Amino acid sequence: MNDRPLDDAALIRAFQEAGQGGVFRFRDRLNKAEFRALVAEARTVDLDLVARLTREATAGEGPAPDLAPLDPVGPDSPDFGAAVAAGRDLLAAGRVAFYTVAGGQGSRLGSLIPKGCFPVGPATGRTLFSWHAGKVLAASRRYGCDIPWVLMVSSANHDDTRAHFEENDWFGLEGRTRFVEQDMLPATDETGKILLANPGRIALAPNGHGGSIAALWRGQTADWLRDRGVTTLSYFQVDNPLINAADPAFLGYHAMRDADVSAKVVRKSHPGEKAGVVALVNGRPGVVEYTEISEEQAAATDEHGELRYGLANIAAHAFDLDFIEKIHDRGLPFHLANKKSATVDDDGNPVRVMGHKFETFVFDSIPMADRFVAFLTDREQDFAPLKNAEGDDSPETVRRALFDRARSWYERAGFPVPESEEELEVGPERGYDFETFSEWNQR
């Protein structure tokens, strides 16, 4: 006897008992394949978690965090040279892997492709994935090791991302590149009812970049990294082509200080910049969102005229792999995002409603660390995120940042600045930082 209908009935009953029976309200309209797809999605939903997150979402905000400034290390620190040497040793020993968070679509860019497939090469149109792959190859050559590369994708972009890599022969990195997939969570309306994307699909959304922690344990990727001798992850988001993921100073400070997690920071461009701030939060290192800082705190300056809370988080971290495992066992807190979601009304017609999405943030691991390092880097050298179709953080600003950085390297090295854009584009194979650029051009 086939007991699948009983299993389906039990699943539907569990949703009804949880007050989520509306997920199946269009069951009679669905064909067999559509119903099976809906059931498969429903089996991934943790109803107890949804109920808990809804309770927390309606409980109101807690007290404002108690903030104090945090001092970073950087090029002006007395042990900077020792940090560079330690980072080079770490990289040469094959103990570093790159970890790229690439779960997003390019919807804010007006594109339906994965964001990593978006062209950023200012003259060549190379994609973000190609640009970062060039860094993996170049750093591997420089340090005489095969740096592994892990990319976190989502169910929404996994197939397109894999196809992009296959079409490009894995950028020469087949065998040392792995995809891991983040979890999806259902969106809810303001009362906590799970939304449907259409009559036969649940409205699911990625669980935030904090999902990168749990994702490492799928397909035994963490074990794969350990088997390759990796102890440290250089973590960055796919939308920042400037980032130097093989930065020996940053990785060296992380190693010298025996840090669990470290973060690259830049000076805020102005008090109102919409960036999370690295500071002491309730007595421990952490990141506080710009929405949680008052205007007075954002504008406050120290005795040197610098912003008191002016260390902007750029989503570039170094993680100790053993610490990552502890975070995985413990879990990260969820954050509520109030956003409009596409769903259907009671007649099955498309509508948009205000509701809740739930995310975890990887920087919430920082307060869990016994040892943390904030490393001050140069915005013009390390940070130009691609977020919007126009205005700030757009393709035009990223293109300009890549050209400006290349121009500064030519001038600093005393080389003639090329007149053509094709020559002025410095891909990562020619230089992913000033030092590698100088060495390449002296050949």
Side-chain angles (χ1 to χ4, degrees), residues 99-300:
Y99 191 10
T100 306
V101 176
Q105 298 290 100
S107 54
R108 286 167 61 184
L109 297 167
S111 170
L112 297 178
I113 61 174
K115 186 181 282 189
C117 298
F118 199 87
V120 294
T124 63
R126 289 179 65 171
T127 67
L128 280 161
F129 283 135
S130 173
W131 201 269
H132 293 310
K135 297 177 192 177
V136 180
L137 289 167
S140 295
R141 285 195 297 269
R142 177 172 176 76
Y143 292 103
C145 62
D146 290 340
I147 295 176
W149 190 19
V150 179
L151 298 101
M152 186 188 77
V153 297
S154 67
S155 60
N157 73 4
H158 175 274
D159 291 347
D160 288 339
T161 298
R162 188 176 187 89
H164 183 70
F165 272 72
E166 290 175 348
E167 289 165 3
N168 289 278
D169 296 322
W170 292 85
F171 303 105
L173 293 167
E174 188 172 10
R176 53 175 160 138
T177 299
R178 280 205 174 194
F179 296 138
V180 295
E181 196 166 309
Q182 68 186 123
D183 286 328
M184 305 288 280
L185 289 172
T188 71
D189 65 16
E190 291 183 301
T191 69
K193 301 298 183 185
I194 294 174
L195 297 174
L196 292 174
N198 61 50
R201 300 299 298 268
I202 296 173
L204 296 172
N207 66 343
H209 46 70
S212 59
I213 303 299
L216 284 173
W217 267 258
R218 297 198 182 90
Q220 299 180 318
T221 297
D223 291 336
W224 176 75
L225 290 169
R226 285 199 173 100
D227 289 345
R228 297 179 73 100
V230 170
T231 61
T232 304
L233 297 182
S234 181
Y235 167 106
F236 58 96
Q237 293 188 338
V238 73
D239 63 7
N240 181 14
L242 258 66
I243 191 66
N244 180 5
D247 186 338
F250 175 53
L251 295 168
Y253 270 116
H254 177 80
M256 285 199 317
R257 303 290 175 90
D258 196 23
D260 295 314
V261 55
S262 300
K264 277 191 174 184
V265 298
V266 298
R267 296 286 184 193
K268 289 179 69 175
S269 59
H270 57 88
E273 182 178 4
K274 294 180 178 180
V277 172
V278 175
L280 293 174
V281 185
N282 298 325
R284 295 191 63 81
V287 175
V288 60
E289 292 284 30
Y290 67 91
T291 53
E292 299 178 90
I293 297 179
S294 68
E295 291 184 7
E296 291 77 16
Q297 287 174 317

